[in-house]
Amino acid sequence: MSKNVIGVGLLGMGTVGRGVYRILTENRSGIEQKVGVPVEIKKILVRDTAKNRGVQLEEGVLTADVDEVINNPDIDIVVEVMGGIKPALPYALKALKNGKSLVTANKDMIAEHGKELFEAAEANNSDLLFEASVAGGIPIIRPLKECLAANRIQQVIGIINGTTNYMLTRMSKEGLDFQTALAEAQALGYAEADPSSDVEGYDAARKLAILASIAFNTRVSLSQVYVEGITRITAEDISYAADLNYVVKLLGIAKESEAGVEVHVHPAMLPKTHPLAPVDDVYNAVFVSGDAVGDVMFFGRGAGELPTASAVVADIMSAARSKLKHVPGLYNCTCFDEKPVKSMGLTSTKYYIRLNVDDRPGVLASIAFVLGNNDVSLASVIQKHTTGQAAEIVLVTHRVLEQNLQDALKIIKELSTVNEIANVIRVEE
């Protein structure tokens, strides 16, 4: 029996939920033409039904009772835009078990409980769609699952956190220090009062776990992602990077080789000629390399009410078409392989190392000796600043094994002529 309308229930009415409501109502006619029938919001779960939501809502659409959404026979698609794990996860699982399709923007839930959600979707012949969970309005989940499905993906490198990208842009363009850039981001609403998820790299790590799982067809858990934030990046490091013809970005990097998959989030120096280098402010971008397609890049706004809602509504429309064509469960889990995830010590790249040392003969030679004994070779050395009896030197290595570098740094740190290893930043070519 064909349906005359597709009913939608929203779990949450915050920033993204409001955007979803706006798009579905303001673009109602075009969406109906593209889907084939009207797509209507039947119920919206909120904590306080009396609160002003900033949009004109139909009377009776708000409810504080979740059962009016996930047990409602008039609702075909449940849209979870609450965020977090609880109570979003139990609500999402119950909706799937009731045969509803689920659309979510919840990166935490997908990164940590994706397997459980996909199993529930498949068991109940339902769709699970989550385009908005990574990079807001930028299409990347579906391109990896569908448009690039014929490729063996070799690497995915992304600027996937707008807050840190804004901060690093301000530090690069205006010479701001970390704390000043953070305060500015908070004042503009880009950073939360507790910014740790962004500046420590955890937000990007969740997104990278999702991207890597799809790109390499193997489940990558959040605990397998090496994470390092931007809190140690200074104006000095950014200045040195510019002198070396690099920019500093917080990158999510996922690569596959015969030895396995590597997934890591950390600051990195990128050549100014790299396609990701000019991606500034709150913009996100994801750079993908495939064996057939070559290099492609996806760029746009990675957050915000309407960009994120754009991705959510596109997923709603896809789920609606599946319901109409009687082919639910079309978008199944693609993690059909079990590939090893390499430890960070087994990865290799170039490194920038900034040291404060005694300004006297033989210091550089002793450092170079330790590096050489650990199979770390130097590509360049810079000494710019000398203060009294101390000097600051910057070393850039050739591509080396992470474990070899860490072993060398442990020894260098104990040298009597080395006062401080001020920073170590990876260099991504």
Side-chain angles (χ1 to χ4, degrees):
M1 182 177 177
S2 62
K3 297 184 68 67
N4 296 319
V5 62
I6 294 293
V8 174
L10 289 185
L11 300 178
M13 191 59 174
T15 300
V16 177
R18 184 172 60 246
V20 170
Y21 186 88
R22 285 179 58 190
I23 293 174
L24 282 175
T25 52
E26 293 171 14
N27 297 351
R28 185 192 310 269
S29 177
I31 290 170
E32 179 180 343
Q33 290 294 319
K34 292 170 184 176
V35 172
V37 298
V39 178
E40 298 180 356
I41 293 180
K42 300 293 187 181
K43 285 289 181 181
I44 304 172
L45 177 71
V46 294
R47 280 188 295 231
D48 180 4
T49 58
K51 181 180 176 181
N52 184 352
R53 302 291 162 176
V55 290
Q56 188 66 40
L57 297 169
E58 293 183 17
E59 188 173 347
V61 73
L62 295 180
T63 179
D65 182 358
V66 68
D67 288 332
E68 289 190 27
V69 179
I70 59 180
N71 290 330
N72 191 328
D74 294 330
I75 289 177
D76 306 286
I77 302 166
V78 171
V79 180
E80 184 280 310
V81 284
M82 303 172 72
I85 303 298
K86 291 182 179 179
L89 179 62
Y91 290 172
L93 288 170
K94 189 170 182 182
L96 288 169
K97 289 171 183 175
N98 285 347
K100 316 290 187 187
S101 290
L102 179 71
V103 173
T104 180
N106 193 330
K107 62 183 175 293
D108 297 356
M109 190 171 71
I110 295 295
E112 297 181 40
H113 299 277
K115 184 175 185 292
E116 187 178 356
L117 287 162
F118 266 114
E119 287 174 350
E122 291 183 24
N124 295 279
N125 204 29
S126 299
D127 285 322
L128 169 60
L129 299 169
F130 50 96
E131 182 65 65
S133 66
V134 178
I138 303 171
I140 186 61
I141 302 297
R142 186 161 296 143
L144 284 174
K145 277 180 169 282
E146 296 181 12
C147 308
L148 302 176
N151 286 257
R152 181 178 179 128
I153 302 299
Q154 298 154 334
Q155 66 174 2
V156 177
I157 303 177
I159 297 170
I160 47 181
N161 181 270
T163 300
T164 51
N165 201 43
Y166 175 82
M167 291 173 60
L168 291 171
T169 298
R170 297 292 290 157
M171 292 171 73
S172 298
K173 299 288 177 68
E174 303 297 331
L176 304 184
D177 61 27
F178 174 85
Q179 290 298 336
T180 303
L182 174 58
E184 189 176 277
Q186 289 173 319
L188 291 169
Y190 297 148
E192 302 289 341
D194 178 2
S196 56
S197 179
D198 292 322
V199 300
E200 297 290 356
Y202 301 121
D203 173 81
R206 290 179 175 89
K207 297 170 183 175
L208 187 65
I210 295 169
L211 291 177
S213 297
I214 297 168
F216 306 131
N217 305 119
T218 186
R219 188 159 303 285
V220 175
S221 68
L222 181 61
S223 63
Q224 293 173 305
V225 182
Y226 173 87
V227 187
E228 189 179 307
I230 66 166
T231 54
R232 296 190 63 208
I233 300 298
T234 67
E236 289 81 6
D237 296 316
I238 288 175
S239 177
Y240 275 119
D243 291 343
L244 293 163
N245 214 28
Y246 292 116
V247 295
V248 179
K249 299 290 185 183
L250 181 72
L251 296 181
I253 300 172
K255 299 180 180 181
E256 183 180 7
S257 66
E258 290 184 2
V261 170
E262 59 182 78
V263 277
H264 34 100
V265 169
H266 50 70
M269 291 187 179
L270 273 176
K272 291 181 180 179
T273 54
H274 194 286
L276 288 170
V279 177
D280 283 339
D281 297 315
V282 293
Y283 283 90
N284 282 197
V286 182
F287 182 82
V288 181
S289 299
D291 63 344
V293 74
D295 296 333
V296 292
M297 192 169 86
F298 303 83
F299 166 84
R301 291 192 176 274
E305 177 181 320
L306 291 177
T308 305
S310 169
V312 172
V313 174
D315 276 351
I316 292 171
M317 294 168 69
S318 293
R321 293 189 195 100
S322 292
K323 291 284 186 183
L324 288 174
K325 300 296 183 182
H326 305 291
V327 285
L330 183 63
Y331 303 100
N332 291 331
C333 182
T334 54
C335 296
F336 47 77
D337 278 337
E338 292 186 15
K339 298 174 182 176
V341 176
K342 294 163 63 175
S343 69
M344 194 61 186
L346 297 179
T347 65
S348 65
T349 191
K350 296 169 65 175
Y351 294 85
Y352 153 100
I353 308 164
R354 180 164 61 90
L355 304 134
N356 293 318
V357 301
D358 290 347
D359 186 20
R360 63 186 191 188
V363 173
L364 183 58
S366 64
I367 294 169
F369 178 78
V370 174
L371 292 170
N373 271 358
N374 286 276
D375 295 323
V376 177
S377 61
L378 293 177
S380 61
V381 178
I382 300 173
Q383 179 176 340
K384 272 192 173 183
H385 306 297
T386 302
T387 305
Q389 301 301 310
E392 184 174 75
I393 60 173
V394 166
L395 314 175
V396 179
T397 74
H398 289 292
R399 178 174 287 274
V400 298
L401 201 64
E402 167 97 11
Q403 189 59 61
N404 290 351
L405 182 80
Q406 295 301 332
D407 290 343
L409 291 177
K410 287 178 184 176
I411 299 171
I412 290 170
K413 188 177 181 180
E414 300 303 320
L415 295 176
S416 61
T417 53
V418 173
N419 303 317
E420 179 190 23
I421 299 176
N423 215 345
V424 178
I425 303 173
R426 295 164 186 85
V427 179
E428 185 70 25
E429 295 290 1

